[in-house]
Amino acid sequence: MHRYLAVRPKPGGDGIRLFCFHHAGGGALTFAGWQRRVGPGVSVLPVRLPGRETRRGEERLTDGARLVDELQRDLGTLLDEPHAFYGHSLGALVAYRLAQHRARAGQRPPELLTVAACAAPQLPAPLVKNLLRPELPDEELILALGGQDSIPAPLRSRAGWLGATLATLRADLRLAQSLRSVPVTPLPCPLDAFAGDDDPLVSATEVHAWKHCTATRFRFRTVHGAHFFVRGRDVPRAVGEVLRSETAGPEAARPGAAPHQAGRPT
């Protein structure tokens, strides 16, 4: 049993496994609908950090090294087979540090690391430092992290759940700060980066700086949307198409299908 996985992986799998890491304050439900949108030949496995959803009774982690160690112990055997990572916002940092940890240990890296809505880990993060001020009111925290879109409507209307979500969000920000405190080394795998063209939290320039985090191919794209474009269709479709074309060859793509362009690649 893998504590960090929201769904049980199928024996033998359904093509390449795509491990998806959620944003700060979020959970595995962020990736609801991704399996259908990603398409055939890819098995979507959302990763759920402790302190939320079915794991809300567990201790929230704020130490990046501890989290990476736990992920390695929990997912390690699954990562011996072909796999890929997608990380959104905080999840991009988690995915990168796990891939970096494995590469340093001489273990199999992901076939592809995809990051989105996240400034590259070598950049300063003044927003995170500002949001970690203990005197910052909840209302300002919500507004600074994208307004009402940052927390689903059902949670905003339930005071108990809202309080727990905000506590988790603050812990996740401390986790992000910890994950940014480690030096960056280029990964031995391709890296795709997505930025929202209307993202008030992370600029396209900050996302493009992920190019320094890979020693192989880098591709940058912009997609329509604000910070939480992970809930849309374009990114999962694009990730699925890239995985089918790059890990199984062009013949694995849908017959007669033209490549879907999720924004502008550079």
Side-chain angles (χ1 to χ4, degrees), residues 2-247:
H2 302 279
R3 293 187 301 120
Y4 275 86
L5 290 184
V7 299
R8 188 185 301 273
K10 297 178 182 178
D14 179 22
I16 188 169
R17 288 166 171 157
L18 174 63
F19 295 86
C20 297
F21 300 83
H22 57 74
H23 57 81
L29 290 176
T30 298
F31 301 101
W34 264 56
Q35 184 62 72
R36 174 174 48 81
R37 295 168 189 162
V38 163
V42 181
S43 180
V44 175
L45 297 176
V47 174
R48 177 182 289 132
L49 301 189
R52 70 214 72 217
E53 297 174 349
T54 59
R55 304 186 67 187
R56 61 182 178 273
E58 299 180 36
E59 175 190 6
R60 303 178 183 97
L61 297 184
T62 59
D63 183 284
R66 177 182 170 186
L67 173 61
V68 168
D69 285 343
E70 287 198 9
L71 286 169
Q72 172 60 31
R73 287 197 300 271
D74 192 67
L75 305 177
T77 57
L78 298 176
L79 302 180
D80 292 335
E81 301 297 328
H83 64 277
F85 290 162
Y86 173 87
H88 196 88
S89 195
L90 167 69
L93 299 174
V94 177
Y96 169 72
R97 292 305 183 189
L98 178 57
Q100 181 188 50
H101 173 83
R102 291 181 56 77
R104 284 175 170 172
Q107 297 170 321
R108 183 173 195 145
E111 305 297 309
L112 173 70
L113 170 63
T114 302
V115 299
C118 181
Q122 72 273 16
L123 299 180
L127 176 63
V128 172
K129 184 177 181 179
N130 179 58
L131 294 179
L132 284 174
R133 291 183 291 118
E135 72 276 10
L136 185 71
D138 290 346
E139 295 77 10
E140 290 187 28
L141 177 62
I142 294 173
L143 184 63
L145 287 172
Q148 300 301 322
D149 287 341
S150 62
I151 297 178
L155 294 184
R156 295 198 303 268
S157 61
R158 300 172 64 179
W161 280 87
L162 179 60
T165 299
L166 290 173
T168 299
L169 180 54
R170 293 180 191 276
D172 286 350
L173 290 171
R174 292 194 291 274
L175 175 62
Q177 190 174 55
S178 175
L179 291 166
R180 288 187 177 277
S181 66
V182 183
V184 167
T185 54
L187 297 177
C189 64
L191 195 157
D192 285 357
F194 289 88
D197 61 6
D198 195 29
D199 190 339
L201 303 182
V202 184
S203 70
T205 300
E206 291 173 312
V207 178
H208 194 274
W210 279 94
K211 67 181 180 180
H212 300 292
C213 298
T214 177
T216 65
R217 178 192 59 72
F218 173 75
R219 180 163 46 199
F220 169 78
R221 304 183 186 188
T222 58
V223 294
H224 179 66
H227 193 65
F228 299 100
F229 56 81
V230 63
R231 298 168 185 159
R233 299 176 181 274
D234 281 348
V235 172
R237 286 179 61 190
V239 172
E241 288 169 1
V242 169
L243 287 175
R244 281 186 292 275
S245 65
E246 293 199 358
T247 63

